[in-house]
Amino acid sequence: MILATVTDEVLPDRSEACFPHIFETALKQGVSTFEIRMVEAKRYPIVEADAWTRMRKFGDEYGITFTTVSPGLFKTGLSHDLMPIHRNQLASMSMDLAETIDIDVLVTFGVMREATDGPDSFAKVVEILHETAESAAARGFTVQLENFPGSWADTADNCLALLKAVDHPAFGYCWDVGNLYDADQEHFMEGYQKLKPFIRNVHLKDGQYIGNHMVWQHFGKGKTDIKGQIAALKADNYKGTLTVEAKCEPQMDEDFPTSLEYLRALL
Ligand SMILES: O=C1C[C@@H](O)[C@H](O)[C@@H](O)C1=O
């Protein structure tokens, strides 16, 4: 497994000075592979040019490998004003910028559900995701569907239905048990058995329901069974990325080292 993290999951700092601290902190924990989400204070790819330059400069200096981009693609609904922009611009802009840094993996969400959705909505979502996979594949990219509560890819069964319906070799799955648990509070194992042939990336975060919302916690403190997830991935000889999302709310400097200490003992 390749230990990885996300640009905004290491430290709460989003200032111009953040990248040296982020990269040093990650390297101290043995992590040099990154997914790009926030670039200082803005989400990829609509970022400040100078922030992008700084991320690249310090990335080179610290020997960081950027493997994946996460633009929040299709974190919008079918009838939303932003949908044509996501469909016609955000996906291609995300790949344009990724190519400049030799990244060929694009994370997408599965389109947010809306009150106006109807019987033909599933087919529309499949069409959008298939079209995205097709245009990505033509450029040498692969696409990873990340599950997210409130989207068409919310529970394990709904993710499976989408992955099977899109049915494209460039379209795989980013398994995020934290988000699955947030959606249905089920133990991961049953869903994992069905989804594992599609898993290309794993997002690791821990937490539990307190009151009526999910509270993100240090690894080992929540109910997503990080220990069991690692054991299952090891048993299946998973060799892909294990992307640490250590951020709690509010995000603190100690979140990343504390969760990494727990995780490293399991690897
Ligand atoms: O926008 C996002 C929301 C998070 O819950 C998710 O895990 C993350 O990967 C993301 O990009």
Side-chain angles (χ1 to χ4, degrees):
M1 288 183 252
I2 304 161
L3 258 189
T5 190
V6 186
T7 44
D8 52 299
E9 292 284 347
V10 178
L11 293 174
D13 189 0
R14 305 279 179 268
S15 75
E16 290 181 11
C18 70
F19 278 115
H21 302 304
I22 290 172
F23 296 148
E24 263 165 36
T25 306
L27 287 171
K28 257 190 216 154
Q29 301 298 330
V31 181
S32 60
T33 298
F34 273 73
E35 177 174 312
I36 304 175
R37 183 164 59 204
M38 298 298 285
V39 179
E40 295 177 4
K42 298 210 170 143
R43 188 164 189 155
Y44 182 91
I46 321 284
V47 301
E48 300 288 343
D50 289 347
W52 181 255
T53 305
R54 282 188 286 273
M55 186 196 76
R56 293 204 56 179
K57 171 182 175 298
F58 290 113
D60 283 347
E61 254 173 50
Y62 285 90
I64 300 301
T65 306
F66 298 104
T67 54
T68 310
V69 291
S70 177
L73 187 62
F74 302 130
K75 214 175 186 186
T76 189
L78 285 173
S79 74
H80 199 282
D81 290 352
L82 284 174
M83 178 50 85
I85 295 170
H86 279 240
R87 207 166 170 177
N88 302 320
Q89 274 107 32
L90 188 59
S92 57
M93 281 171 62
S94 297
M95 290 189 272
D96 292 343
L97 191 56
E99 275 169 353
T100 68
I101 190 170
D102 294 328
I103 292 178
D104 59 5
V105 182
L106 172 68
V107 172
T108 186
F109 293 99
V111 179
M112 299 308 289
R113 295 178 188 274
E114 292 178 317
T116 49
D117 286 334
D120 58 345
S121 298
F122 178 79
K124 283 190 190 151
V125 171
V126 170
E127 183 194 323
I128 290 167
L129 295 175
H130 192 274
E131 166 194 279
T132 306
E134 194 69 14
S135 59
R139 299 177 64 159
F141 278 76
T142 57
V143 180
Q144 295 176 352
L145 174 70
E146 177 175 348
N147 56 279
F148 189 69
S151 75
W152 285 84
D154 48 4
T155 64
D157 283 343
N158 290 335
C159 291
L160 187 65
L162 272 182
L163 288 157
K164 283 186 171 166
V166 172
D167 186 27
H168 194 290
F171 193 69
Y173 180 51
C174 172
W175 186 49
D176 187 320
V177 174
N179 285 350
L180 286 174
Y181 190 84
D182 190 356
D184 62 12
Q185 289 111 75
E186 297 283 339
H187 188 264
F188 72 84
M189 190 53 101
E190 203 183 316
Y192 171 72
Q193 295 303 340
K194 301 178 198 171
L195 288 164
K196 66 184 177 187
F198 298 95
I199 297 177
R200 308 281 176 269
N201 184 9
V202 174
H203 274 185
L204 270 189
K205 55 182 188 248
D206 204 2
Q208 62 183 295
Y209 259 74
I210 298 179
N212 58 0
H213 75 285
M214 192 72 183
V215 175
W216 302 112
Q217 295 173 311
H218 291 154
F219 289 8
K221 301 281 182 216
K223 302 248 191 257
T224 71
D225 190 7
I226 297 252
K227 194 174 173 187
Q229 293 173 52
I230 300 300
L233 291 165
K234 272 188 178 171
D236 287 321
N237 206 20
Y238 173 74
K239 296 278 183 234
T241 36
L242 198 56
T243 307
V244 173
E245 296 194 322
K247 177 164 73 179
C248 300
E249 283 152 20
Q251 186 176 14
M252 306 291 273
D253 285 359
E254 67 257 28
D255 293 345
F256 189 79
T258 307
S259 285
L260 253 295
E261 191 184 342
Y262 178 84
L263 180 61
R264 265 202 315 271
L266 304 175
L267 293 173

